[in-house]
Amino acid sequence: VLHRFGEMRRGQFREFFRRAIADLRSSFDRDTAGVTAAGLVLGFETETAGFSREEMEELYTRTFDLNPDASLETGWQLYGESYERGAYLVKMRALLRSCAIAESGELPDHLSYLLRAVGRLPEADAAGISSAYLRKSVGKMIAAFADAGNPYLKLLQAASLIIDSAATTKESVHP
């Protein structure tokens, strides 16, 4: 549900968040993490309701593109500029292909792609990817927020709750 960060940059965020909130509530109506995540997404939508498309794009750019510590590239969060990141990118590109997810402008380790992939994987594989890669990388993204009032923090916190829920669903070996 939270995998479409890119839509926010293109101005389609309002309708996306309305759908995301409804999906989270219906998918996790008995799950505390899902209910909390839906509340965080609703909080983001409420805080940004008065923002113009340009203001949303500027906030996104300032938050993620100009702050490498908050980069949405999970490989950067996990490996920085080391050789291991290259191997990770190759692995993530193979994962995207296996899930029929086309790359469109971002590197294959971008959080938006990986959240989408986790949603398409069998539960045990999703748990493995979430546990092995997403928990730590999203945790580092959240830790990078100097401005606790930045509304994007709520989205990352919501993603973190869903990732933690997926990671603890079943034990699995990551690909």
Side-chain angles (χ1 to χ4, degrees):
V1 170
L2 300 173
H3 65 272
R4 298 173 78 170
F5 279 103
E7 283 190 20
M8 291 178 275
R9 294 174 80 171
R10 293 187 291 276
Q12 301 168 353
F13 50 90
R14 297 278 180 255
E15 185 54 33
F16 165 73
F17 285 110
R18 287 185 190 96
R19 287 190 318 262
I21 293 162
D23 288 349
L24 282 168
R25 285 186 176 150
S26 66
S27 297
F28 299 101
D29 61 349
R30 294 185 185 129
D31 180 326
T32 304
V35 171
T36 304
L40 288 164
V41 173
L42 179 60
F44 174 88
E45 205 281 329
T46 301
E47 283 182 40
T48 60
F51 288 28
S52 69
R53 177 181 177 176
E54 291 78 20
E55 289 170 321
M56 286 302 297
E57 289 175 356
E58 180 182 332
L59 179 61
Y60 182 97
T61 299
R62 198 172 57 244
T63 301
F64 299 113
D65 293 343
L66 300 179
N67 180 4
D69 292 336
S71 169
L72 294 174
E73 295 169 348
T74 60
W76 171 259
Q77 297 295 340
L78 298 170
Y79 306 108
E81 292 290 336
S82 72
Y83 173 79
E84 289 85 5
R85 182 171 184 213
Y88 178 75
L89 287 168
V90 169
K91 187 183 289 189
M92 294 303 103
R93 181 162 283 137
L95 173 67
L96 296 181
R97 283 187 188 135
S98 73
C99 293
I101 298 170
E103 294 175 54
S104 60
E106 302 291 347
L107 292 172
D109 65 339
H110 196 272
L111 182 62
S112 63
Y113 294 142
L114 299 185
L115 289 174
R116 191 175 312 146
V118 163
R120 294 182 183 182
L121 289 170
E123 211 170 274
D125 293 338
I129 295 290
S130 296
S131 179
Y133 306 119
L134 296 181
R135 270 184 166 168
K136 183 176 180 182
S137 59
V138 172
K140 289 180 88 172
M141 292 171 197
I142 290 170
F145 273 76
D147 178 7
N150 185 318
Y152 279 110
L153 179 58
K154 287 181 173 52
L155 291 185
L156 287 175
Q157 290 169 331
S160 180
L161 287 168
I162 300 304
I163 289 164
D164 284 347
S165 181
T168 57
T169 301
K170 287 188 177 180
E171 291 189 17
S172 174
V173 177
H174 57 81

mmCIF file of all heavy atoms in Angstrom, residues 115-145:
data_model
loop_
_atom_site.group_PDB
_atom_site.id
_atom_site.type_symbol
_atom_site.label_atom_id
_atom_site.label_comp_id
_atom_site.label_asym_id
_atom_site.label_seq_id
_atom_site.Cartn_x
_atom_site.Cartn_y
_atom_site.Cartn_z
ATOM 1 N N LEU A 115 8.798 -2.415 -1.671
ATOM 2 C CA LEU A 115 7.508 -2.590 -0.996
ATOM 3 C C LEU A 115 6.500 -3.242 -1.934
ATOM 4 O O LEU A 115 5.717 -4.101 -1.524
ATOM 5 C CB LEU A 115 6.983 -1.248 -0.481
ATOM 6 C CG LEU A 115 7.742 -0.650 0.699
ATOM 7 C CD1 LEU A 115 7.223 0.737 1.011
ATOM 8 C CD2 LEU A 115 7.669 -1.544 1.919
ATOM 9 N N ARG A 116 6.533 -2.854 -3.191
ATOM 10 C CA ARG A 116 5.657 -3.472 -4.180
ATOM 11 C C ARG A 116 6.004 -4.958 -4.332
ATOM 12 O O ARG A 116 5.119 -5.808 -4.374
ATOM 13 C CB ARG A 116 5.789 -2.748 -5.518
ATOM 14 C CG ARG A 116 4.735 -3.139 -6.514
ATOM 15 C CD ARG A 116 4.810 -2.313 -7.783
ATOM 16 N NE ARG A 116 4.906 -0.898 -7.482
ATOM 17 C CZ ARG A 116 5.594 -0.023 -8.213
ATOM 18 N NH1 ARG A 116 6.217 -0.393 -9.292
ATOM 19 N NH2 ARG A 116 5.622 1.241 -7.873
ATOM 20 N N ALA A 117 7.296 -5.276 -4.407
ATOM 21 C CA ALA A 117 7.728 -6.670 -4.555
ATOM 22 C C ALA A 117 7.292 -7.510 -3.358
ATOM 23 O O ALA A 117 6.774 -8.626 -3.526
ATOM 24 C CB ALA A 117 9.245 -6.742 -4.730
ATOM 25 N N VAL A 118 7.473 -6.977 -2.154
ATOM 26 C CA VAL A 118 7.081 -7.710 -0.954
ATOM 27 C C VAL A 118 5.584 -8.030 -0.991
ATOM 28 O O VAL A 118 5.160 -9.107 -0.584
ATOM 29 C CB VAL A 118 7.475 -6.915 0.319
ATOM 30 C CG1 VAL A 118 6.751 -7.417 1.549
ATOM 31 C CG2 VAL A 118 8.976 -6.980 0.511
ATOM 32 N N GLY A 119 4.804 -7.113 -1.525
ATOM 33 C CA GLY A 119 3.368 -7.348 -1.638
ATOM 34 C C GLY A 119 3.005 -8.447 -2.633
ATOM 35 O O GLY A 119 1.920 -9.011 -2.564
ATOM 36 N N ARG A 120 3.908 -8.776 -3.538
ATOM 37 C CA ARG A 120 3.642 -9.799 -4.552
ATOM 38 C C ARG A 120 4.265 -11.147 -4.230
ATOM 39 O O ARG A 120 3.973 -12.129 -4.907
ATOM 40 C CB ARG A 120 4.167 -9.325 -5.909
ATOM 41 C CG ARG A 120 3.420 -8.131 -6.440
ATOM 42 C CD ARG A 120 3.918 -7.725 -7.795
ATOM 43 N NE ARG A 120 3.235 -6.531 -8.253
ATOM 44 C CZ ARG A 120 3.446 -5.969 -9.420
ATOM 45 N NH1 ARG A 120 4.312 -6.489 -10.270
ATOM 46 N NH2 ARG A 120 2.785 -4.883 -9.760
ATOM 47 N N LEU A 121 5.132 -11.195 -3.248
ATOM 48 C CA LEU A 121 5.835 -12.432 -2.917
ATOM 49 C C LEU A 121 4.990 -13.328 -2.021
ATOM 50 O O LEU A 121 4.126 -12.839 -1.279
ATOM 51 C CB LEU A 121 7.136 -12.100 -2.187
ATOM 52 C CG LEU A 121 8.245 -11.466 -2.998
ATOM 53 C CD1 LEU A 121 9.362 -10.994 -2.060
ATOM 54 C CD2 LEU A 121 8.787 -12.429 -4.033
ATOM 55 N N PRO A 122 5.281 -14.641 -2.047
ATOM 56 C CA PRO A 122 4.672 -15.508 -1.037
ATOM 57 C C PRO A 122 5.038 -14.995 0.356
ATOM 58 O O PRO A 122 6.103 -14.391 0.553
ATOM 59 C CB PRO A 122 5.313 -16.877 -1.308
ATOM 60 C CG PRO A 122 5.780 -16.816 -2.722
ATOM 61 C CD PRO A 122 6.142 -15.371 -2.968
ATOM 62 N N GLU A 123 4.184 -15.261 1.300
ATOM 63 C CA GLU A 123 4.336 -14.713 2.645
ATOM 64 C C GLU A 123 5.715 -14.970 3.255
ATOM 65 O O GLU A 123 6.324 -14.068 3.825
ATOM 66 C CB GLU A 123 3.250 -15.320 3.547
ATOM 67 C CG GLU A 123 2.792 -14.415 4.647
ATOM 68 C CD GLU A 123 1.574 -14.967 5.339
ATOM 69 O OE1 GLU A 123 0.455 -14.717 4.856
ATOM 70 O OE2 GLU A 123 1.765 -15.659 6.354
ATOM 71 N N ALA A 124 6.232 -16.175 3.135
ATOM 72 C CA ALA A 124 7.531 -16.503 3.732
ATOM 73 C C ALA A 124 8.663 -15.723 3.065
ATOM 74 O O ALA A 124 9.583 -15.254 3.744
ATOM 75 C CB ALA A 124 7.801 -18.003 3.638
ATOM 76 N N ASP A 125 8.601 -15.567 1.758
ATOM 77 C CA ASP A 125 9.633 -14.797 1.052
ATOM 78 C C ASP A 125 9.537 -13.315 1.397
ATOM 79 O O ASP A 125 10.556 -12.641 1.559
ATOM 80 C CB ASP A 125 9.514 -14.991 -0.460
ATOM 81 C CG ASP A 125 9.845 -16.410 -0.890
ATOM 82 O OD1 ASP A 125 10.543 -17.121 -0.138
ATOM 83 O OD2 ASP A 125 9.392 -16.813 -1.972
ATOM 84 N N ALA A 126 8.316 -12.813 1.515
ATOM 85 C CA ALA A 126 8.119 -11.415 1.916
ATOM 86 C C ALA A 126 8.702 -11.186 3.306
ATOM 87 O O ALA A 126 9.341 -10.166 3.559
ATOM 88 C CB ALA A 126 6.631 -11.060 1.889
ATOM 89 N N ALA A 127 8.499 -12.143 4.195
ATOM 90 C CA ALA A 127 9.055 -12.036 5.546
ATOM 91 C C ALA A 127 10.577 -12.008 5.493
ATOM 92 O O ALA A 127 11.220 -11.234 6.215
ATOM 93 C CB ALA A 127 8.567 -13.200 6.412
ATOM 94 N N GLY A 128 11.159 -12.820 4.636
ATOM 95 C CA GLY A 128 12.616 -12.862 4.518
ATOM 96 C C GLY A 128 13.199 -11.557 4.021
ATOM 97 O O GLY A 128 14.176 -11.047 4.578
ATOM 98 N N ILE A 129 12.616 -10.994 2.965
ATOM 99 C CA ILE A 129 13.082 -9.719 2.412
ATOM 100 C C ILE A 129 12.897 -8.607 3.451
ATOM 101 O O ILE A 129 13.785 -7.778 3.665
ATOM 102 C CB ILE A 129 12.321 -9.363 1.115
ATOM 103 C CG1 ILE A 129 12.627 -10.372 0.015
ATOM 104 C CG2 ILE A 129 12.606 -7.939 0.673
ATOM 105 C CD1 ILE A 129 14.015 -10.316 -0.540
ATOM 106 N N SER A 130 11.749 -8.604 4.099
ATOM 107 C CA SER A 130 11.470 -7.576 5.104
ATOM 108 C C SER A 130 12.464 -7.643 6.247
ATOM 109 O O SER A 130 13.013 -6.623 6.672
ATOM 110 C CB SER A 130 10.045 -7.725 5.637
ATOM 111 O OG SER A 130 9.115 -7.510 4.605
ATOM 112 N N SER A 131 12.725 -8.845 6.715
ATOM 113 C CA SER A 131 13.629 -9.034 7.833
ATOM 114 C C SER A 131 15.081 -8.756 7.460
ATOM 115 O O SER A 131 15.805 -8.077 8.204
ATOM 116 C CB SER A 131 13.487 -10.466 8.361
ATOM 117 O OG SER A 131 14.356 -10.687 9.426
ATOM 118 N N ALA A 132 15.500 -9.255 6.302
ATOM 119 C CA ALA A 132 16.906 -9.141 5.909
ATOM 120 C C ALA A 132 17.299 -7.741 5.464
ATOM 121 O O ALA A 132 18.438 -7.320 5.698
ATOM 122 C CB ALA A 132 17.208 -10.145 4.794
ATOM 123 N N TYR A 133 16.392 -7.025 4.813
ATOM 124 C CA TYR A 133 16.780 -5.756 4.186
ATOM 125 C C TYR A 133 15.949 -4.548 4.603
ATOM 126 O O TYR A 133 16.494 -3.482 4.876
ATOM 127 C CB TYR A 133 16.711 -5.874 2.661
ATOM 128 C CG TYR A 133 17.495 -7.018 2.099
ATOM 129 C CD1 TYR A 133 16.867 -8.027 1.381
ATOM 130 C CD2 TYR A 133 18.872 -7.109 2.286
ATOM 131 C CE1 TYR A 133 17.594 -9.085 0.853
ATOM 132 C CE2 TYR A 133 19.601 -8.166 1.767
ATOM 133 C CZ TYR A 133 18.952 -9.155 1.050
ATOM 134 O OH TYR A 133 19.665 -10.198 0.537
ATOM 135 N N LEU A 134 14.654 -4.704 4.603
ATOM 136 C CA LEU A 134 13.797 -3.528 4.750
ATOM 137 C C LEU A 134 13.764 -2.970 6.169
ATOM 138 O O LEU A 134 13.754 -1.755 6.343
ATOM 139 C CB LEU A 134 12.388 -3.827 4.252
ATOM 140 C CG LEU A 134 12.292 -4.136 2.756
ATOM 141 C CD1 LEU A 134 10.847 -4.398 2.354
ATOM 142 C CD2 LEU A 134 12.889 -3.023 1.924
ATOM 143 N N ARG A 135 13.746 -3.830 7.163
ATOM 144 C CA ARG A 135 13.711 -3.328 8.543
ATOM 145 C C ARG A 135 14.856 -2.368 8.819
ATOM 146 O O ARG A 135 14.657 -1.262 9.308
ATOM 147 C CB ARG A 135 13.799 -4.484 9.529
ATOM 148 C CG ARG A 135 12.506 -5.067 9.942
ATOM 149 C CD ARG A 135 12.766 -6.124 10.971
ATOM 150 N NE ARG A 135 11.526 -6.497 11.634
ATOM 151 C CZ ARG A 135 11.409 -7.551 12.409
ATOM 152 N NH1 ARG A 135 12.448 -8.328 12.640
ATOM 153 N NH2 ARG A 135 10.265 -7.814 12.963
ATOM 154 N N LYS A 136 16.061 -2.815 8.528
ATOM 155 C CA LYS A 136 17.247 -2.007 8.834
ATOM 156 C C LYS A 136 17.281 -0.741 7.981
ATOM 157 O O LYS A 136 17.548 0.348 8.494
ATOM 158 C CB LYS A 136 18.516 -2.822 8.614
ATOM 159 C CG LYS A 136 19.769 -2.065 8.990
ATOM 160 C CD LYS A 136 21.009 -2.930 8.866
ATOM 161 C CE LYS A 136 22.243 -2.135 9.243
ATOM 162 N NZ LYS A 136 23.458 -2.929 9.086
ATOM 163 N N SER A 137 17.015 -0.865 6.676
ATOM 164 C CA SER A 137 17.128 0.314 5.815
ATOM 165 C C SER A 137 16.068 1.355 6.160
ATOM 166 O O SER A 137 16.377 2.550 6.240
ATOM 167 C CB SER A 137 17.078 -0.073 4.334
ATOM 168 O OG SER A 137 15.894 -0.747 4.015
ATOM 169 N N VAL A 138 14.846 0.943 6.403
ATOM 170 C CA VAL A 138 13.802 1.909 6.768
ATOM 171 C C VAL A 138 14.081 2.485 8.152
ATOM 172 O O VAL A 138 13.864 3.679 8.383
ATOM 173 C CB VAL A 138 12.393 1.288 6.666
ATOM 174 C CG1 VAL A 138 11.336 2.216 7.235
ATOM 175 C CG2 VAL A 138 12.078 0.959 5.210
ATOM 176 N N GLY A 139 14.609 1.692 9.045
ATOM 177 C CA GLY A 139 14.997 2.203 10.360
ATOM 178 C C GLY A 139 16.039 3.310 10.250
ATOM 179 O O GLY A 139 15.965 4.322 10.951
ATOM 180 N N LYS A 140 16.999 3.142 9.335
ATOM 181 C CA LYS A 140 18.017 4.175 9.129
ATOM 182 C C LYS A 140 17.405 5.422 8.494
ATOM 183 O O LYS A 140 17.788 6.543 8.826
ATOM 184 C CB LYS A 140 19.151 3.626 8.267
ATOM 185 C CG LYS A 140 20.005 2.614 9.022
ATOM 186 C CD LYS A 140 21.116 2.065 8.171
ATOM 187 C CE LYS A 140 22.312 2.970 8.292
ATOM 188 N NZ LYS A 140 23.502 2.414 7.634
ATOM 189 N N MET A 141 16.450 5.243 7.592
ATOM 190 C CA MET A 141 15.773 6.395 6.987
ATOM 191 C C MET A 141 15.061 7.202 8.066
ATOM 192 O O MET A 141 15.151 8.435 8.114
ATOM 193 C CB MET A 141 14.763 5.934 5.936
ATOM 194 C CG MET A 141 15.368 5.324 4.707
ATOM 195 S SD MET A 141 14.058 4.575 3.676
ATOM 196 C CE MET A 141 15.029 3.511 2.621
ATOM 197 N N ILE A 142 14.356 6.501 8.928
ATOM 198 C CA ILE A 142 13.623 7.178 10.011
ATOM 199 C C ILE A 142 14.591 7.910 10.941
ATOM 200 O O ILE A 142 14.343 9.055 11.331
ATOM 201 C CB ILE A 142 12.753 6.166 10.784
ATOM 202 C CG1 ILE A 142 11.582 5.705 9.897
ATOM 203 C CG2 ILE A 142 12.247 6.752 12.101
ATOM 204 C CD1 ILE A 142 10.793 4.534 10.458
ATOM 205 N N ALA A 143 15.697 7.275 11.267
ATOM 206 C CA ALA A 143 16.680 7.886 12.166
ATOM 207 C C ALA A 143 17.290 9.155 11.574
ATOM 208 O O ALA A 143 17.765 10.019 12.310
ATOM 209 C CB ALA A 143 17.782 6.885 12.495
ATOM 210 N N ALA A 144 17.259 9.287 10.256
ATOM 211 C CA ALA A 144 17.861 10.440 9.583
ATOM 212 C C ALA A 144 17.008 11.707 9.667
ATOM 213 O O ALA A 144 17.467 12.784 9.307
ATOM 214 C CB ALA A 144 18.128 10.115 8.116
ATOM 215 N N PHE A 145 15.791 11.605 10.143
ATOM 216 C CA PHE A 145 14.907 12.761 10.178
ATOM 217 C C PHE A 145 15.267 13.676 11.338
ATOM 218 O O PHE A 145 15.008 13.368 12.492
ATOM 219 C CB PHE A 145 13.443 12.323 10.288
ATOM 220 C CG PHE A 145 12.806 12.049 8.974
ATOM 221 C CD1 PHE A 145 13.093 10.876 8.286
ATOM 222 C CD2 PHE A 145 11.950 12.957 8.398
ATOM 223 C CE1 PHE A 145 12.522 10.623 7.058
ATOM 224 C CE2 PHE A 145 11.366 12.713 7.167
ATOM 225 C CZ PHE A 145 11.665 11.538 6.495
#
